[in-house]
Amino acid sequence: MRSEDDETVEAAVQVVDSHVHFWDPARMDYPWLAAVPALHRPYRPSDLDTGGHELAAAVFVEAGRADGDAAREVDWVEELAADWPVLRAVVAHAPLEQGAAAAPRLAELAGRPLVRGVRRNVQDEPAGFATTDAFVTGVRSLARYGLTFDLCVRHHQLAEVTTLARRAPDVTIVLDHLGKPPVAAARPGPWRADLARLAAAPNVVCKLSGLATEAAPGHTTADLVPYLAHALAVFGADRCMFGGDWPVSTLAVTYPDWLGVVTAALAGRPESERSAVFGGTARRVYRFGS
């Protein structure tokens, strides 16, 4: 992903990465990896190449292991964090669709020292899933345990999850990957309007992540920046955070190149906004210090 007009990160920068994954197929089952052979191998902190940029902190987000391995995944990531203190927070899987019945699992997660939030991946669920009474009950219950909710959806689901956000006003909802806009199709119209409506819910924040894998092969920085700029416009920098989406992102972009894209989207903005996107927002949302 290069062009003569691309802006890159020339000097090493320090960032908080709000969205990284690790996995080891020898330790747990990840059903989705069978369809992505390029990623079907272990990925641990020692494999993460930032291109010389310093990670001040990182947030692990559940990696789609089999549901039965959800508790083991948290155990394993805590082991990784013991040797890699950059890892400061965990977003774990929980079966929120169980509604009130998910409470014991949420209580257990809330007692884990690194767990700050929950993700129940919604992107492949049928229409209406996120607004069922049981799922809304599960999401709303996160407030009782002080947990955030990472929301991974595709662009056509944004209108639906706007209803969810309004029905769970006491929960901080973190939109992953800008809601996966149709970058490859170059049809941002409906996504732009739907994202603005979601951003009107004050309890929602947005990760500037996962965009390159939604783009066509051979895309450039100029193809991606307008989407990031729109997210920054409707959410504001204090509700946006950088996310690497590593190693999934490696299917389309290197880590330093993605940093360069987000940096390009912030060009000309005040340092306070850069500081929010590259650290402050994630520290506030996932509740860890310097």
Side-chain angles (χ1 to χ4, degrees), residues 191-286:
W191 168 83
R192 287 177 59 88
D194 288 341
L195 192 76
R197 279 189 285 269
L198 179 59
N203 56 318
V204 182
V205 299
C206 182
K207 287 184 179 177
L208 305 184
S209 61
L211 203 57
T213 48
E214 300 303 312
H219 64 269
T220 68
T221 295
D223 296 323
L224 304 180
V225 164
Y227 295 88
L228 297 169
H230 181 61
L232 286 162
V234 298
F235 281 98
D238 63 339
R239 291 167 61 202
C240 289
M241 62 183 94
F242 171 81
D245 195 28
W246 184 90
V248 178
S249 58
T250 62
L251 294 171
V253 68
T254 68
Y255 199 95
D257 279 354
W258 178 243
L259 267 171
V261 173
V262 179
T263 298
L266 290 163
R269 291 176 176 266
E271 179 58 32
S272 60
E273 295 192 9
R274 289 171 52 89
S275 295
V277 169
F278 285 125
T281 302
R283 292 183 188 279
R284 183 183 75 249
V285 168
Y286 291 117

Coordinates of all heavy atoms in Angstrom, one line a residue, residues 191-286:
W191 N -22.9 4.5 4.8 CA -22.1 4.3 6.0 C -21.9 5.7 6.7 O -21.9 5.8 7.9 CB -20.7 3.7 5.6 CG -19.7 3.8 6.7 CD1 -19.6 2.9 7.7 CD2 -18.7 4.8 6.8 NE1 -18.5 3.3 8.5 CE2 -18.0 4.4 8.0 CE3 -18.3 5.9 6.1 CZ2 -16.9 5.2 8.4 CZ3 -17.2 6.6 6.5 CH2 -16.5 6.3 7.7
R192 N -21.6 6.7 5.9 CA -21.3 8.0 6.5 C -22.5 8.5 7.3 O -22.4 8.9 8.5 CB -21.1 9.1 5.4 CG -19.7 8.9 4.7 CD -19.6 9.9 3.6 NE -19.7 11.3 4.1 CZ -18.7 12.0 4.5 NH1 -17.5 11.5 4.5 NH2 -18.9 13.3 4.9
A193 N -23.7 8.4 6.8 CA -24.9 8.8 7.6 C -25.2 7.9 8.8 O -25.5 8.4 9.9 CB -26.1 8.8 6.6
D194 N -25.0 6.6 8.6 CA -25.2 5.7 9.7 C -24.2 5.9 10.8 O -24.6 5.8 12.0 CB -25.2 4.2 9.2 CG -26.4 3.9 8.4 OD1 -27.5 4.6 8.5 OD2 -26.4 2.9 7.6
L195 N -23.0 6.2 10.5 CA -21.9 6.4 11.5 C -22.2 7.7 12.3 O -22.1 7.7 13.5 CB -20.5 6.5 10.9 CG -19.4 6.4 11.9 CD1 -19.2 5.0 12.4 CD2 -18.1 6.9 11.3
A196 N -22.7 8.7 11.6 CA -23.0 10.0 12.2 C -24.1 9.8 13.2 O -24.1 10.3 14.3 CB -23.4 11.0 11.2
R197 N -25.1 9.0 12.8 CA -26.2 8.7 13.8 C -25.8 7.9 15.0 O -26.2 8.2 16.1 CB -27.4 8.0 13.1 CG -28.3 8.9 12.2 CD -29.5 8.1 11.7 NE -29.1 7.3 10.6 CZ -29.2 7.7 9.3 NH1 -29.5 8.9 9.0 NH2 -28.8 6.8 8.4
L198 N -24.9 6.9 14.8 CA -24.3 6.2 15.9 C -23.5 7.1 16.8 O -23.6 7.0 18.0 CB -23.5 5.0 15.4 CG -22.9 4.1 16.5 CD1 -23.9 3.5 17.4 CD2 -22.0 3.1 15.8
A199 N -22.7 8.0 16.2 CA -21.9 8.9 17.0 C -22.7 9.8 17.8 O -22.2 10.4 18.8 CB -20.9 9.7 16.1
A200 N -23.9 10.1 17.5 CA -24.8 10.9 18.3 C -25.1 10.4 19.6 O -25.5 11.1 20.6 CB -26.1 11.2 17.5
A201 N -24.9 9.1 19.8 CA -25.1 8.4 21.1 C -23.8 8.7 21.9 O -22.7 8.2 21.5 CB -25.3 6.9 21.0
P202 N -23.8 9.4 23.0 CA -22.6 9.9 23.7 C -21.8 8.7 24.4 O -20.7 9.0 24.7 CB -23.2 10.9 24.7 CG -24.6 10.5 25.0 CD -25.1 10.0 23.6
N203 N -22.4 7.6 24.5 CA -21.8 6.4 25.1 C -20.9 5.6 24.2 O -20.4 4.6 24.5 CB -22.8 5.5 25.9 CG -23.9 5.0 25.0 OD1 -24.4 5.7 24.1 ND2 -24.2 3.7 25.1
V204 N -20.8 6.0 22.9 CA -20.1 5.3 21.9 C -18.8 6.0 21.5 O -18.8 7.2 21.4 CB -21.0 5.1 20.6 CG1 -20.2 4.2 19.6 CG2 -22.3 4.5 20.9
V205 N -17.7 5.2 21.5 CA -16.4 5.6 21.0 C -16.0 4.7 19.8 O -16.6 3.7 19.6 CB -15.4 5.6 22.1 CG1 -15.7 6.5 23.3 CG2 -15.1 4.2 22.6
C206 N -15.0 5.2 19.1 CA -14.7 4.5 17.8 C -13.2 4.2 17.7 O -12.3 5.0 18.0 CB -15.0 5.4 16.7 SG -14.8 4.8 15.0
K207 N -12.9 3.0 17.3 CA -11.5 2.6 17.0 C -11.2 2.9 15.5 O -11.9 2.4 14.6 CB -11.3 1.1 17.3 CG -11.3 0.7 18.8 CD -11.0 -0.7 19.0 CE -10.9 -1.0 20.5 NZ -10.7 -2.5 20.8
L208 N -10.1 3.6 15.4 CA -9.5 3.8 14.0 C -8.6 2.6 13.7 O -7.4 2.6 13.9 CB -8.7 5.1 14.0 CG -9.5 6.4 14.5 CD1 -8.6 7.6 14.3 CD2 -10.8 6.5 13.8
S209 N -9.3 1.6 13.2 CA -8.6 0.3 13.0 C -9.3 -0.5 11.9 O -10.4 -0.1 11.5 CB -8.7 -0.5 14.3 OG -10.1 -0.8 14.7
G210 N -8.6 -1.5 11.4 CA -9.3 -2.5 10.6 C -9.8 -2.0 9.2 O -10.5 -2.7 8.6
L211 N -9.3 -0.9 8.8 CA -9.8 -0.3 7.5 C -9.1 -0.9 6.3 O -9.8 -1.1 5.3 CB -9.6 1.2 7.6 CG -10.5 2.1 6.7 CD1 -12.0 1.8 7.0 CD2 -10.2 3.5 6.9
A212 N -7.8 -1.2 6.4 CA -7.1 -1.6 5.2 C -7.6 -3.0 4.7 O -7.6 -3.2 3.5 CB -5.6 -1.8 5.5
T213 N -8.1 -3.8 5.6 CA -8.6 -5.1 5.1 C -10.0 -5.0 4.5 O -10.5 -6.0 3.9 CB -8.6 -6.1 6.3 OG1 -9.2 -5.5 7.4 CG2 -7.2 -6.6 6.6
E214 N -10.6 -3.8 4.6 CA -11.9 -3.6 3.9 C -11.6 -3.0 2.5 O -12.6 -2.8 1.8 CB -12.8 -2.7 4.7 CG -13.1 -3.2 6.1 CD -13.8 -4.6 6.1 OE1 -14.7 -4.7 5.3 OE2 -13.4 -5.5 6.8
A215 N -10.4 -2.6 2.2 CA -10.1 -1.9 1.0 C -9.7 -2.9 -0.1 O -9.4 -4.1 0.1 CB -9.0 -0.9 1.2
A216 N -9.7 -2.4 -1.4 CA -9.3 -3.2 -2.5 C -7.8 -3.4 -2.5 O -7.0 -2.5 -2.0 CB -9.7 -2.6 -3.8
P217 N -7.3 -4.5 -3.1 CA -5.8 -4.6 -3.3 C -5.2 -3.4 -4.0 O -5.8 -2.9 -4.9 CB -5.7 -5.9 -4.1 CG -6.9 -6.7 -3.8 CD -8.0 -5.6 -3.6
G218 N -4.0 -3.0 -3.6 CA -3.4 -1.8 -4.2 C -3.9 -0.5 -3.8 O -3.5 0.6 -4.4
H219 N -4.7 -0.5 -2.7 CA -5.2 0.8 -2.2 C -4.1 1.7 -1.7 O -3.0 1.2 -1.4 CB -6.2 0.6 -1.1 CG -5.6 -0.1 0.1 ND1 -5.6 -1.4 0.3 CD2 -5.0 0.5 1.2 CE1 -5.0 -1.7 1.5 NE2 -4.6 -0.6 2.0
T220 N -4.4 3.0 -1.6 CA -3.4 3.9 -1.1 C -3.9 4.6 0.2 O -5.1 4.5 0.5 CB -3.1 5.0 -2.2 OG1 -4.2 5.8 -2.3 CG2 -2.7 4.4 -3.5
T221 N -3.0 5.4 0.8 CA -3.4 6.2 1.9 C -4.6 7.1 1.6 O -5.5 7.3 2.4 CB -2.2 7.0 2.5 OG1 -1.2 6.1 2.9 CG2 -2.6 7.9 3.6
A222 N -4.5 7.7 0.4 CA -5.6 8.6 0.0 C -7.0 7.9 -0.1 O -8.0 8.6 0.0 CB -5.2 9.2 -1.4
D223 N -7.0 6.6 -0.3 CA -8.2 5.9 -0.4 C -8.9 5.7 1.0 O -10.1 5.6 1.1 CB -8.0 4.5 -1.0 CG -7.6 4.5 -2.4 OD1 -8.0 5.4 -3.2 OD2 -6.7 3.7 -2.8
L224 N -8.0 5.7 2.0 CA -8.5 5.4 3.4 C -8.7 6.6 4.3 O -9.6 6.6 5.1 CB -7.5 4.5 4.1 CG -7.1 3.2 3.4 CD1 -6.1 2.4 4.2 CD2 -8.3 2.4 3.1
V225 N -8.0 7.7 4.1 CA -8.0 8.8 4.9 C -9.4 9.5 5.0 O -9.9 9.9 6.1 CB -7.0 9.9 4.5 CG1 -7.3 11.3 5.1 CG2 -5.6 9.4 5.0
P226 N -10.2 9.5 3.9 CA -11.5 10.1 4.1 C -12.4 9.4 5.1 O -13.3 10.1 5.7 CB -12.1 10.1 2.6 CG -10.9 10.1 1.8 CD -9.9 9.3 2.5
Y227 N -12.3 8.1 5.2 CA -13.1 7.4 6.2 C -12.7 7.7 7.6 O -13.5 7.9 8.5 CB -13.0 5.9 5.9 CG -13.5 5.5 4.6 CD1 -12.8 5.5 3.4 CD2 -14.9 5.0 4.4 CE1 -13.3 5.1 2.2 CE2 -15.4 4.7 3.2 CZ -14.6 4.7 2.1 OH -15.1 4.3 0.9
L228 N -11.4 7.8 7.8 CA -10.9 8.2 9.1 C -11.3 9.6 9.5 O -11.7 9.9 10.6 CB -9.4 8.0 9.2 CG -8.8 6.6 9.0 CD1 -7.3 6.6 8.8 CD2 -9.2 5.7 10.2
A229 N -11.2 10.5 8.5 CA -11.5 11.9 8.7 C -13.0 12.0 9.1 O -13.4 12.9 9.9 CB -11.2 12.7 7.4
H230 N -13.9 11.2 8.4 CA -15.3 11.3 8.8 C -15.5 10.8 10.2 O -16.3 11.4 11.0 CB -16.1 10.5 7.8 CG -17.6 10.5 8.1 ND1 -18.3 11.7 8.0 CD2 -18.5 9.5 8.4 CE1 -19.6 11.4 8.3 NE2 -19.7 10.1 8.6
A231 N -14.9 9.7 10.6 CA -15.0 9.2 12.0 C -14.5 10.3 13.0 O -15.2 10.5 14.0 CB -14.2 7.9 12.2
L232 N -13.4 10.9 12.7 CA -12.9 12.0 13.6 C -13.9 13.2 13.6 O -14.1 13.8 14.7 CB -11.5 12.5 13.1 CG -10.4 11.5 13.3 CD1 -9.2 11.8 12.5 CD2 -10.0 11.5 14.8
A233 N -14.5 13.5 12.5 CA -15.5 14.6 12.5 C -16.7 14.3 13.3 O -17.2 15.2 14.0 CB -15.8 14.9 11.0
V234 N -17.2 13.1 13.2 CA -18.5 12.9 13.9 C -18.4 12.4 15.4 O -19.2 12.7 16.2 CB -19.4 11.8 13.2 CG1 -19.7 12.4 11.8 CG2 -18.7 10.5 13.0
F235 N -17.2 11.8 15.7 CA -17.0 11.4 17.1 C -16.2 12.4 17.8 O -16.3 12.6 19.1 CB -16.3 10.0 17.1 CG -17.1 8.8 16.9 CD1 -17.2 8.2 15.7 CD2 -17.9 8.3 17.9 CE1 -18.0 7.1 15.5 CE2 -18.7 7.2 17.7 CZ -18.8 6.6 16.5
G236 N -15.2 13.1 17.2 CA -14.3 13.9 17.8 C -13.1 13.1 18.3 O -13.2 11.9 18.6
A237 N -11.9 13.7 18.3 CA -10.7 12.9 18.6 C -10.7 12.3 20.0 O -10.2 11.3 20.3 CB -9.5 13.8 18.5
D238 N -11.5 13.0 21.0 CA -11.5 12.4 22.3 C -12.4 11.2 22.4 O -12.5 10.6 23.5 CB -11.9 13.5 23.3 CG -13.4 14.0 23.0 OD1 -13.9 13.8 21.9 OD2 -14.0 14.6 24.0
R239 N -13.0 10.8 21.3 CA -13.8 9.6 21.3 C -13.3 8.6 20.2 O -14.0 7.7 19.8 CB -15.3 9.9 21.1 CG -15.9 10.5 22.3 CD -17.3 11.1 22.0 NE -18.2 10.1 21.6 CZ -19.3 10.3 20.8 NH1 -19.6 11.6 20.4 NH2 -20.2 9.3 20.5
C240 N -12.1 8.8 19.8 CA -11.4 8.0 18.8 C -10.1 7.5 19.3 O -9.4 8.2 20.1 CB -11.2 8.7 17.5 SG -12.7 9.1 16.5
M241 N -9.7 6.2 19.0 CA -8.5 5.7 19.4 C -7.9 4.8 18.3 O -8.5 4.2 17.5 CB -8.7 4.8 20.7 CG -9.6 3.6 20.5 SD -9.9 2.8 22.1 CE -11.4 3.5 22.7
F242 N -6.5 4.8 18.3 CA -5.8 4.0 17.3 C -5.9 2.6 17.7 O -5.7 2.2 18.8 CB -4.3 4.5 17.3 CG -3.4 3.6 16.5 CD1 -3.4 3.7 15.1 CD2 -2.7 2.6 17.1 CE1 -2.6 2.8 14.4 CE2 -1.9 1.7 16.4 CZ -1.8 1.8 15.0
G243 N -6.1 1.7 16.6 CA -6.0 0.3 16.8 C -5.3 -0.3 15.6 O -5.6 0.0 14.5
G244 N -4.4 -1.2 15.9 CA -3.6 -1.9 14.9 C -4.3 -3.0 14.2 O -4.0 -3.4 13.1
D245 N -5.2 -3.7 14.9 CA -5.9 -4.9 14.5 C -4.8 -5.9 14.0 O -5.1 -6.7 13.1 CB -6.9 -4.6 13.4 CG -7.8 -5.8 13.1 OD1 -8.1 -6.6 14.0 OD2 -8.3 -5.9 11.9
W246 N -3.7 -5.9 14.6 CA -2.6 -6.9 14.3 C -3.0 -8.3 15.0 O -3.5 -8.3 16.1 CB -1.3 -6.4 14.9 CG -0.1 -7.3 14.5 CD1 0.6 -7.2 13.4 CD2 0.3 -8.4 15.3 NE1 1.6 -8.2 13.5 CE2 1.4 -8.9 14.6 CE3 -0.1 -9.0 16.5 CZ2 2.1 -10.1 15.0 CZ3 0.6 -10.1 17.0 CH2 1.7 -10.6 16.2
P247 N -2.8 -9.4 14.3 CA -2.1 -9.6 13.0 C -3.1 -9.7 11.8 O -2.6 -9.9 10.7 CB -1.4 -10.9 13.2 CG -2.3 -11.7 14.1 CD -2.9 -10.7 15.1
V248 N -4.4 -9.5 12.1 CA -5.3 -9.6 10.9 C -5.0 -8.5 9.9 O -5.0 -8.8 8.7 CB -6.8 -9.4 11.4 CG1 -7.7 -9.4 10.3 CG2 -7.2 -10.5 12.4
S249 N -4.5 -7.4 10.4 CA -4.2 -6.3 9.5 C -3.1 -6.6 8.5 O -3.0 -6.1 7.4 CB -3.8 -5.1 10.3 OG -2.7 -5.4 11.1
T250 N -2.2 -7.6 8.9 CA -1.1 -7.9 8.0 C -1.5 -8.5 6.7 O -0.7 -8.7 5.8 CB -0.1 -8.9 8.7 OG1 -0.8 -10.1 9.0 CG2 0.4 -8.3 10.0
L251 N -2.8 -8.9 6.5 CA -3.3 -9.4 5.3 C -3.3 -8.3 4.2 O -3.3 -8.5 3.0 CB -4.7 -9.9 5.4 CG -4.9 -11.2 6.3 CD1 -6.4 -11.4 6.5 CD2 -4.2 -12.4 5.6
A252 N -3.2 -7.0 4.7 CA -3.4 -5.9 3.8 C -2.4 -4.8 4.0 O -2.2 -3.9 3.1 CB -4.8 -5.3 3.9
V253 N -1.7 -4.7 5.2 CA -0.9 -3.5 5.4 C 0.1 -3.9 6.5 O -0.1 -4.7 7.4 CB -1.8 -2.3 5.9 CG1 -2.4 -2.6 7.3 CG2 -1.1 -1.0 5.9
T254 N 1.3 -3.2 6.5 CA 2.2 -3.4 7.6 C 1.8 -2.5 8.8 O 1.1 -1.5 8.6 CB 3.7 -3.0 7.2 OG1 3.7 -1.6 6.9 CG2 4.1 -3.8 5.9
Y255 N 2.4 -2.8 9.9 CA 2.0 -2.0 11.1 C 2.5 -0.5 10.9 O 1.7 0.4 11.2 CB 2.7 -2.6 12.4 CG 2.1 -2.2 13.7 CD1 1.1 -2.9 14.3 CD2 2.5 -1.0 14.3 CE1 0.5 -2.5 15.5 CE2 1.9 -0.6 15.5 CZ 0.9 -1.3 16.1 OH 0.4 -0.9 17.2
P256 N 3.7 -0.3 10.5 CA 4.1 1.1 10.4 C 3.3 1.9 9.3 O 3.0 3.1 9.4 CB 5.6 1.1 10.1 CG 5.9 -0.3 9.7 CD 4.9 -1.2 10.4
D257 N 2.9 1.2 8.2 CA 2.1 1.8 7.2 C 0.7 2.2 7.7 O 0.2 3.2 7.4 CB 2.0 0.9 6.0 CG 3.2 1.0 5.1 OD1 4.1 1.8 5.3 OD2 3.2 0.2 4.1
W258 N 0.1 1.3 8.6 CA -1.2 1.7 9.1 C -1.0 2.9 10.1 O -1.9 3.8 10.1 CB -1.8 0.5 9.9 CG -3.1 0.9 10.5 CD1 -3.5 0.9 11.8 CD2 -4.3 1.4 9.8 NE1 -4.7 1.4 12.0 CE2 -5.3 1.7 10.8 CE3 -4.6 1.7 8.4 CZ2 -6.5 2.2 10.4 CZ3 -5.8 2.2 8.1 CH2 -6.8 2.4 9.1
L259 N 0.1 2.9 10.9 CA 0.3 4.1 11.7 C 0.4 5.3 10.8 O -0.1 6.4 11.2 CB 1.6 3.9 12.5 CG 1.5 3.4 13.9 CD1 2.9 3.0 14.4 CD2 0.8 4.3 14.8
G260 N 1.0 5.2 9.6 CA 1.2 6.3 8.7 C -0.2 6.8 8.2 O -0.4 8.0 8.0
V261 N -1.1 5.9 7.9 CA -2.4 6.2 7.5 C -3.2 7.1 8.5 O -3.7 8.1 8.2 CB -3.2 5.0 7.1 CG1 -4.7 5.4 6.8 CG2 -2.6 4.3 5.9
V262 N -3.1 6.6 9.8 CA -3.8 7.3 10.8 C -3.2 8.7 11.1 O -3.8 9.7 11.3 CB -3.9 6.5 12.1 CG1 -4.6 7.3 13.2 CG2 -4.6 5.2 11.9
T263 N -1.8 8.7 11.0 CA -1.1 10.0 11.2 C -1.5 10.9 10.0 O -1.7 12.1 10.3 CB 0.4 9.7 11.1 OG1 0.8 8.9 12.2 CG2 1.2 11.0 11.2
A264 N -1.7 10.4 8.8 CA -2.1 11.3 7.7 C -3.5 11.9 8.0 O -3.8 13.0 7.6 CB -2.1 10.5 6.4
A265 N -4.4 11.1 8.5 CA -5.7 11.6 8.8 C -5.7 12.7 9.9 O -6.7 13.5 10.0 CB -6.6 10.4 9.3
L266 N -4.7 12.7 10.7 CA -4.6 13.7 11.8 C -3.7 14.9 11.4 O -3.5 15.8 12.2 CB -4.0 13.0 13.0 CG -4.9 12.0 13.8 CD1 -4.1 11.1 14.7 CD2 -6.0 12.7 14.5
A267 N -3.3 14.9 10.2 CA -2.4 16.0 9.7 C -3.1 17.3 9.9 O -4.3 17.5 9.5 CB -2.0 15.8 8.3
G268 N -2.4 18.3 10.5 CA -2.9 19.6 10.7 C -3.8 19.8 11.9 O -4.2 20.9 12.2
R269 N -4.1 18.7 12.6 CA -4.9 18.8 13.8 C -4.0 19.1 15.0 O -2.8 18.8 15.0 CB -5.7 17.5 14.1 CG -6.7 17.2 13.0 CD -7.4 15.9 13.2 NE -8.5 15.7 12.3 CZ -9.8 16.0 12.6 NH1 -10.1 16.5 13.7 NH2 -10.7 15.7 11.7
P270 N -4.6 19.7 16.1 CA -3.8 20.0 17.3 C -3.1 18.8 17.9 O -3.7 17.7 17.8 CB -4.8 20.6 18.2 CG -6.0 21.0 17.4 CD -6.0 20.1 16.2
E271 N -2.1 19.0 18.6 CA -1.4 17.9 19.3 C -2.3 17.3 20.3 O -2.1 16.1 20.5 CB -0.1 18.5 20.0 CG 0.7 17.4 20.7 CD 1.2 16.3 19.9 OE1 1.4 16.5 18.7 OE2 1.3 15.1 20.4
S272 N -3.2 18.0 20.9 CA -4.1 17.4 21.9 C -4.9 16.3 21.2 O -5.3 15.3 21.9 CB -5.0 18.5 22.5 OG -5.8 19.1 21.5
E273 N -5.3 16.5 20.0 CA -6.1 15.5 19.3 C -5.3 14.3 18.9 O -5.7 13.1 19.1 CB -6.7 16.1 18.0 CG -7.8 17.2 18.3 CD -8.6 17.6 17.1 OE1 -8.5 16.9 16.1 OE2 -9.3 18.6 17.2
R274 N -4.0 14.5 18.5 CA -3.1 13.4 18.2 C -2.9 12.6 19.5 O -2.9 11.3 19.5 CB -1.8 13.9 17.7 CG -1.8 14.4 16.3 CD -0.5 15.1 15.9 NE 0.6 14.2 16.2 CZ 1.1 13.4 15.3 NH1 0.6 13.3 14.1 NH2 2.2 12.6 15.6
S275 N -2.7 13.3 20.6 CA -2.5 12.6 21.9 C -3.7 11.8 22.3 O -3.5 10.7 22.9 CB -2.1 13.6 23.0 OG -0.9 14.3 22.7
A276 N -4.9 12.3 22.1 CA -6.1 11.5 22.4 C -6.2 10.2 21.6 O -6.4 9.1 22.1 CB -7.3 12.4 22.2
V277 N -6.0 10.4 20.3 CA -6.1 9.2 19.4 C -5.0 8.2 19.6 O -5.3 6.9 19.7 CB -6.1 9.6 17.9 CG1 -6.0 8.4 17.0 CG2 -7.3 10.5 17.6
F278 N -3.8 8.6 19.9 CA -2.7 7.7 20.1 C -2.5 7.3 21.5 O -1.4 6.7 21.8 CB -1.4 8.3 19.4 CG -1.4 8.2 17.9 CD1 -1.2 9.3 17.2 CD2 -1.6 7.0 17.3 CE1 -1.2 9.3 15.8 CE2 -1.5 6.9 15.9 CZ -1.3 8.1 15.1
G279 N -3.4 7.6 22.4 CA -3.2 7.2 23.8 C -4.3 7.6 24.7 O -4.8 6.7 25.5
G280 N -4.6 8.8 24.8 CA -5.5 9.3 25.9 C -6.9 8.6 25.9 O -7.4 8.2 26.9
T281 N -7.5 8.5 24.7 CA -8.8 7.9 24.7 C -8.8 6.4 25.1 O -9.6 6.0 25.9 CB -9.4 7.9 23.2 OG1 -9.4 9.3 22.8 CG2 -10.8 7.4 23.2
A282 N -7.9 5.6 24.7 CA -7.8 4.2 25.1 C -7.5 4.1 26.6 O -8.1 3.2 27.2 CB -6.7 3.5 24.3
R283 N -6.6 5.0 27.1 CA -6.3 4.9 28.5 C -7.6 5.2 29.3 O -7.8 4.5 30.4 CB -5.2 5.9 28.9 CG -3.9 5.5 28.3 CD -2.8 6.6 28.8 NE -1.5 6.4 28.1 CZ -0.6 5.5 28.5 NH1 -0.9 4.6 29.5 NH2 0.5 5.4 27.8
R284 N -8.4 6.1 28.9 CA -9.6 6.5 29.6 C -10.6 5.4 29.5 O -11.2 5.0 30.5 CB -10.2 7.8 29.1 CG -11.4 8.3 29.8 CD -12.0 9.6 29.2 NE -12.7 9.3 28.0 CZ -12.3 9.6 26.8 NH1 -11.2 10.3 26.6 NH2 -13.0 9.4 25.7
V285 N -10.9 4.9 28.3 CA -11.9 3.9 28.1 C -11.6 2.6 28.8 O -12.5 2.0 29.4 CB -12.2 3.7 26.6 CG1 -13.1 2.5 26.3 CG2 -12.8 5.0 26.0
Y286 N -10.4 2.2 28.7 CA -10.0 0.9 29.2 C -9.4 1.0 30.6 O -8.9 0.0 31.2 CB -9.1 0.1 28.3 CG -9.8 -0.3 27.0 CD1 -9.4 0.2 25.8 CD2 -10.9 -1.2 27.1 CE1 -10.1 -0.2 24.6 CE2 -11.6 -1.6 25.9 CZ -11.2 -1.1 24.7 OH -11.8 -1.5 23.5

